[in-house]
Amino acid sequence: MARNVEFDESLAIQKAMEVFWKKGYNATSLRDLTDAMQINSSSLYNTIGDKQELFVRCVQHYTDIRKQDWEKRLASKRSPLAVLVDYIHEAVKVIINGEDSCMAVKSAFEVATNDERVKQILAADDQRCYQFLHDLIKKSMDKGEIRNDEDPALLADYFNSTWTGWYESFILHRDPVKIKRMAEYFIRQLTK
Amino acid sequence: MARNVEFDESLAIQKAMEVFWKKGYNATSLRDLTDAMQINSSSLYNTIGDKQELFVRCVQHYTDIRKQDWEKRLASKRSPLAVLVDYIHEAVKVIINGEDSCMAVKSAFEVATNDERVKQILAADDQRCYQFLHDLIKKSMDKGEIRNDEDPALLADYFNSTWTGWYESFILHRDPVKIKRMAEYFIRQLTK
DNA sequence: AATATTATGAAACGTTTGTTTCAGAATTAG
DNA sequence: CTAATTCTGAAACAAACGTTTCATAATATT
């Protein structure tokens, strides 16, 4: 027998995520957040909680979106190698055209070292990406699309950790050609 | 005709660097810094400047140390491949045993996106690491120590960006074996 | 329609932030 | 020794921080 929450919580989380993504955890103030979310701080504290809790929810939201993307790609009818190559090309596009870097990577270095919950969420996200790559590599090997003289688990680990450096490179040099060349080498390693 | 600065400036920079390295730029307060440096904030502002200026000096100091290390390794009498492999193994040790992640990487993601001077310093540092790798790879190819069917500039770029992901992986999973296996694969790519 | 309950907005909370001030201690040059 | 200059330490600064309070508005249930 009382009123309901007025604002759309998932939309508010989305808006907060965008701010955290761009500025990072520590450089984002609560006013930055409530401005973007268009809610009062009392509403924030009544529903979601404090800044840390909000950040956890935002990181969770960020990784949820990625999870859905990987699941959709794995369900594709195309050949595993085609899905893998397509994914790499889209990753390059995101790095080159995206205004901001990857929120998962930024949060891993800035927050995961101090916040156990954020670390768990990002570790789970990383594990899913590994699984995504491992599935595609294994299937490609079984179908004879790529060479199979290396352990697919090792390749998945290696490739999974590779993107991170591409983000750093693009932050420092803003050279799209450099990223594209590395991606081509990346794919060549598998196929030749 | 007046007194001199009392504290050792380079020692103070070193101490400040350690704090920034561990906590990151935004999570570090000026009191954290003056406590570690064991100086009063007035002395800090009189000699070095504000927080941003101090951070720039710390990042510069961090990259200076790396520069010296690369120069020393390049001057080695051993074979280029041996120097390269040795460097990779030591990089793995640093990742696995180091309490904190790489300050250059952390700063690239947290600060370089907003601070042009930090970005320039880190870009120059990255360029030097590229040059270090390129020199060793080129020489190894010329001596016939490794395969030469790929462009050494491309390999240097690719390898240079690879470490960053290893740091992220270790933050999230703390699995030394994983890092070691990736390093072995890394070396295998060159030699076989 | 009355009532109990909850969400909201504005203001205020005590801390902490980065930075500045300034009197006095220290030191060098004449 | 004197005097001019500079460094230091403690205190204070306003602004911004994350968070809480509370009166009021809103609504679902009876």
mmCIF file of all heavy atoms in Angstrom, chain A residues 169 171-173, chain B residues 63 112 116-130 160:
data_model
loop_
_atom_site.group_PDB
_atom_site.id
_atom_site.type_symbol
_atom_site.label_atom_id
_atom_site.label_comp_id
_atom_site.label_asym_id
_atom_site.label_seq_id
_atom_site.Cartn_x
_atom_site.Cartn_y
_atom_site.Cartn_z
ATOM 1 N N SER A 169 47.436 0.008 -27.078
ATOM 2 C CA SER A 169 48.134 0.558 -28.245
ATOM 3 C C SER A 169 47.327 1.679 -28.888
ATOM 4 O O SER A 169 47.876 2.723 -29.257
ATOM 5 C CB SER A 169 48.399 -0.553 -29.266
ATOM 6 O OG SER A 169 48.862 -0.010 -30.475
ATOM 7 N N ILE A 171 45.024 3.576 -27.485
ATOM 8 C CA ILE A 171 44.997 4.747 -26.606
ATOM 9 C C ILE A 171 46.249 5.587 -26.819
ATOM 10 O O ILE A 171 46.182 6.810 -26.952
ATOM 11 C CB ILE A 171 44.897 4.314 -25.116
ATOM 12 C CG1 ILE A 171 43.506 3.767 -24.799
ATOM 13 C CG2 ILE A 171 45.222 5.496 -24.194
ATOM 14 C CD1 ILE A 171 43.375 3.166 -23.414
ATOM 15 N N LEU A 172 47.397 4.919 -26.903
ATOM 16 C CA LEU A 172 48.670 5.645 -26.976
ATOM 17 C C LEU A 172 48.991 6.187 -28.365
ATOM 18 O O LEU A 172 49.566 7.261 -28.495
ATOM 19 C CB LEU A 172 49.815 4.745 -26.498
ATOM 20 C CG LEU A 172 49.755 4.266 -25.043
ATOM 21 C CD1 LEU A 172 50.975 3.420 -24.709
ATOM 22 C CD2 LEU A 172 49.652 5.455 -24.085
ATOM 23 N N HIS A 173 48.621 5.444 -29.411
ATOM 24 C CA HIS A 173 49.058 5.847 -30.753
ATOM 25 C C HIS A 173 47.942 6.209 -31.731
ATOM 26 O O HIS A 173 48.195 6.840 -32.753
ATOM 27 C CB HIS A 173 49.924 4.739 -31.359
ATOM 28 C CG HIS A 173 51.067 4.328 -30.497
ATOM 29 N ND1 HIS A 173 52.110 5.170 -30.194
ATOM 30 C CD2 HIS A 173 51.324 3.168 -29.845
ATOM 31 C CE1 HIS A 173 52.971 4.535 -29.397
ATOM 32 N NE2 HIS A 173 52.515 3.317 -29.167
ATOM 33 N N THR B 63 59.279 5.321 -16.508
ATOM 34 C CA THR B 63 59.704 4.954 -17.865
ATOM 35 C C THR B 63 61.218 5.124 -18.047
ATOM 36 O O THR B 63 61.822 4.416 -18.855
ATOM 37 C CB THR B 63 58.959 5.783 -18.929
ATOM 38 O OG1 THR B 63 59.247 7.175 -18.757
ATOM 39 C CG2 THR B 63 57.464 5.552 -18.844
ATOM 40 N N ALA B 112 46.023 8.304 -19.307
ATOM 41 C CA ALA B 112 46.457 8.745 -20.645
ATOM 42 C C ALA B 112 45.295 9.209 -21.512
ATOM 43 O O ALA B 112 45.475 10.026 -22.425
ATOM 44 C CB ALA B 112 47.229 7.637 -21.341
ATOM 45 N N GLU B 116 47.182 14.648 -21.789
ATOM 46 C CA GLU B 116 48.007 14.569 -22.995
ATOM 47 C C GLU B 116 49.482 14.333 -22.671
ATOM 48 O O GLU B 116 50.167 13.590 -23.373
ATOM 49 C CB GLU B 116 47.843 15.871 -23.793
ATOM 50 C CG GLU B 116 48.486 15.869 -25.165
ATOM 51 C CD GLU B 116 47.923 14.788 -26.086
ATOM 52 O OE1 GLU B 116 46.723 14.449 -25.937
ATOM 53 O OE2 GLU B 116 48.666 14.287 -26.934
ATOM 54 N N ARG B 117 49.983 14.966 -21.616
ATOM 55 C CA ARG B 117 51.403 14.817 -21.284
ATOM 56 C C ARG B 117 51.715 13.382 -20.868
ATOM 57 O O ARG B 117 52.736 12.814 -21.293
ATOM 58 C CB ARG B 117 51.774 15.773 -20.142
ATOM 59 C CG ARG B 117 51.710 17.236 -20.570
ATOM 60 C CD ARG B 117 51.712 18.143 -19.357
ATOM 61 N NE ARG B 117 52.989 18.142 -18.682
ATOM 62 C CZ ARG B 117 53.157 18.556 -17.415
ATOM 63 N NH1 ARG B 117 52.111 18.965 -16.713
ATOM 64 N NH2 ARG B 117 54.349 18.543 -16.861
ATOM 65 N N VAL B 118 50.853 12.798 -20.045
ATOM 66 C CA VAL B 118 51.057 11.404 -19.635
ATOM 67 C C VAL B 118 51.004 10.501 -20.860
ATOM 68 O O VAL B 118 51.809 9.576 -21.008
ATOM 69 C CB VAL B 118 49.996 10.982 -18.596
ATOM 70 C CG1 VAL B 118 50.059 9.490 -18.336
ATOM 71 C CG2 VAL B 118 50.190 11.758 -17.301
ATOM 72 N N LYS B 119 50.069 10.799 -21.743
ATOM 73 C CA LYS B 119 49.942 10.010 -22.966
ATOM 74 C C LYS B 119 51.238 10.062 -23.784
ATOM 75 O O LYS B 119 51.709 9.026 -24.268
ATOM 76 C CB LYS B 119 48.770 10.530 -23.810
ATOM 77 C CG LYS B 119 48.443 9.664 -25.011
ATOM 78 C CD LYS B 119 47.229 10.203 -25.754
ATOM 79 C CE LYS B 119 47.515 10.396 -27.222
ATOM 80 N NZ LYS B 119 46.364 10.940 -27.957
ATOM 81 N N GLN B 120 51.803 11.237 -23.909
ATOM 82 C CA GLN B 120 53.044 11.391 -24.678
ATOM 83 C C GLN B 120 54.189 10.588 -24.065
ATOM 84 O O GLN B 120 54.934 9.907 -24.774
ATOM 85 C CB GLN B 120 53.447 12.869 -24.749
ATOM 86 C CG GLN B 120 52.507 13.749 -25.571
ATOM 87 C CD GLN B 120 52.418 13.319 -27.026
ATOM 88 O OE1 GLN B 120 53.328 12.700 -27.562
ATOM 89 N NE2 GLN B 120 51.294 13.615 -27.663
ATOM 90 N N ILE B 121 54.308 10.660 -22.749
ATOM 91 C CA ILE B 121 55.378 9.932 -22.062
ATOM 92 C C ILE B 121 55.218 8.426 -22.265
ATOM 93 O O ILE B 121 56.187 7.714 -22.555
ATOM 94 C CB ILE B 121 55.385 10.269 -20.549
ATOM 95 C CG1 ILE B 121 55.762 11.730 -20.339
ATOM 96 C CG2 ILE B 121 56.328 9.347 -19.794
ATOM 97 C CD1 ILE B 121 55.493 12.234 -18.933
ATOM 98 N N LEU B 122 53.987 7.951 -22.135
ATOM 99 C CA LEU B 122 53.743 6.515 -22.265
ATOM 100 C C LEU B 122 53.864 6.057 -23.716
ATOM 101 O O LEU B 122 54.311 4.939 -23.984
ATOM 102 C CB LEU B 122 52.359 6.166 -21.709
ATOM 103 C CG LEU B 122 52.209 6.343 -20.195
ATOM 104 C CD1 LEU B 122 50.784 6.047 -19.763
ATOM 105 C CD2 LEU B 122 53.192 5.451 -19.443
ATOM 106 N N ALA B 123 53.492 6.926 -24.651
ATOM 107 C CA ALA B 123 53.650 6.590 -26.068
ATOM 108 C C ALA B 123 55.133 6.470 -26.420
ATOM 109 O O ALA B 123 55.543 5.552 -27.145
ATOM 110 C CB ALA B 123 52.974 7.643 -26.940
ATOM 111 N N ALA B 124 55.931 7.386 -25.881
ATOM 112 C CA ALA B 124 57.380 7.332 -26.118
ATOM 113 C C ALA B 124 57.973 6.068 -25.505
ATOM 114 O O ALA B 124 58.822 5.407 -26.108
ATOM 115 C CB ALA B 124 58.050 8.573 -25.532
ATOM 116 N N ASP B 125 57.499 5.728 -24.315
ATOM 117 C CA ASP B 125 57.956 4.509 -23.634
ATOM 118 C C ASP B 125 57.609 3.275 -24.465
ATOM 119 O O ASP B 125 58.432 2.380 -24.657
ATOM 120 C CB ASP B 125 57.298 4.429 -22.257
ATOM 121 C CG ASP B 125 57.613 3.145 -21.516
ATOM 122 O OD1 ASP B 125 58.765 2.989 -21.076
ATOM 123 O OD2 ASP B 125 56.712 2.297 -21.386
ATOM 124 N N ASP B 126 56.386 3.261 -24.952
ATOM 125 C CA ASP B 126 55.910 2.142 -25.774
ATOM 126 C C ASP B 126 56.753 2.032 -27.051
ATOM 127 O O ASP B 126 57.106 0.939 -27.482
ATOM 128 C CB ASP B 126 54.442 2.373 -26.139
ATOM 129 C CG ASP B 126 53.777 1.114 -26.671
ATOM 130 O OD1 ASP B 126 53.680 0.134 -25.923
ATOM 131 O OD2 ASP B 126 53.379 1.121 -27.857
ATOM 132 N N GLN B 127 57.073 3.166 -27.619
ATOM 133 C CA GLN B 127 57.889 3.207 -28.834
ATOM 134 C C GLN B 127 59.287 2.637 -28.575
ATOM 135 O O GLN B 127 59.833 1.909 -29.404
ATOM 136 C CB GLN B 127 57.974 4.657 -29.326
ATOM 137 C CG GLN B 127 58.834 4.860 -30.567
ATOM 138 C CD GLN B 127 58.291 4.123 -31.783
ATOM 139 O OE1 GLN B 127 57.096 3.830 -31.860
ATOM 140 N NE2 GLN B 127 59.172 3.795 -32.724
ATOM 141 N N ARG B 128 59.838 2.959 -27.412
ATOM 142 C CA ARG B 128 61.164 2.436 -27.065
ATOM 143 C C ARG B 128 61.129 0.922 -26.888
ATOM 144 O O ARG B 128 62.058 0.219 -27.304
ATOM 145 C CB ARG B 128 61.686 3.105 -25.784
ATOM 146 C CG ARG B 128 62.219 4.510 -26.001
ATOM 147 C CD ARG B 128 62.999 5.007 -24.783
ATOM 148 N NE ARG B 128 62.142 5.236 -23.620
ATOM 149 C CZ ARG B 128 61.545 6.402 -23.352
ATOM 150 N NH1 ARG B 128 61.708 7.435 -24.170
ATOM 151 N NH2 ARG B 128 60.805 6.539 -22.278
ATOM 152 N N CYS B 129 60.054 0.427 -26.285
ATOM 153 C CA CYS B 129 59.943 -1.028 -26.108
ATOM 154 C C CYS B 129 59.822 -1.694 -27.478
ATOM 155 O O CYS B 129 60.428 -2.742 -27.727
ATOM 156 C CB CYS B 129 58.743 -1.366 -25.234
ATOM 157 S SG CYS B 129 58.614 -3.128 -24.853
ATOM 158 N N TYR B 130 59.051 -1.079 -28.346
ATOM 159 C CA TYR B 130 58.928 -1.570 -29.725
ATOM 160 C C TYR B 130 60.304 -1.634 -30.387
ATOM 161 O O TYR B 130 60.672 -2.642 -31.002
ATOM 162 C CB TYR B 130 57.998 -0.658 -30.525
ATOM 163 C CG TYR B 130 58.158 -0.803 -32.019
ATOM 164 C CD1 TYR B 130 57.525 -1.843 -32.703
ATOM 165 C CD2 TYR B 130 58.963 0.081 -32.739
ATOM 166 C CE1 TYR B 130 57.693 -1.989 -34.072
ATOM 167 C CE2 TYR B 130 59.130 -0.061 -34.104
ATOM 168 C CZ TYR B 130 58.501 -1.095 -34.764
ATOM 169 O OH TYR B 130 58.675 -1.249 -36.111
ATOM 170 N N ASN B 160 54.903 -6.577 -28.488
ATOM 171 C CA ASN B 160 54.884 -5.443 -27.572
ATOM 172 C C ASN B 160 53.517 -5.280 -26.907
ATOM 173 O O ASN B 160 53.417 -4.949 -25.736
ATOM 174 C CB ASN B 160 55.246 -4.162 -28.334
ATOM 175 C CG ASN B 160 55.400 -2.966 -27.414
ATOM 176 O OD1 ASN B 160 55.681 -3.127 -26.231
ATOM 177 N ND2 ASN B 160 55.220 -1.781 -27.965
#
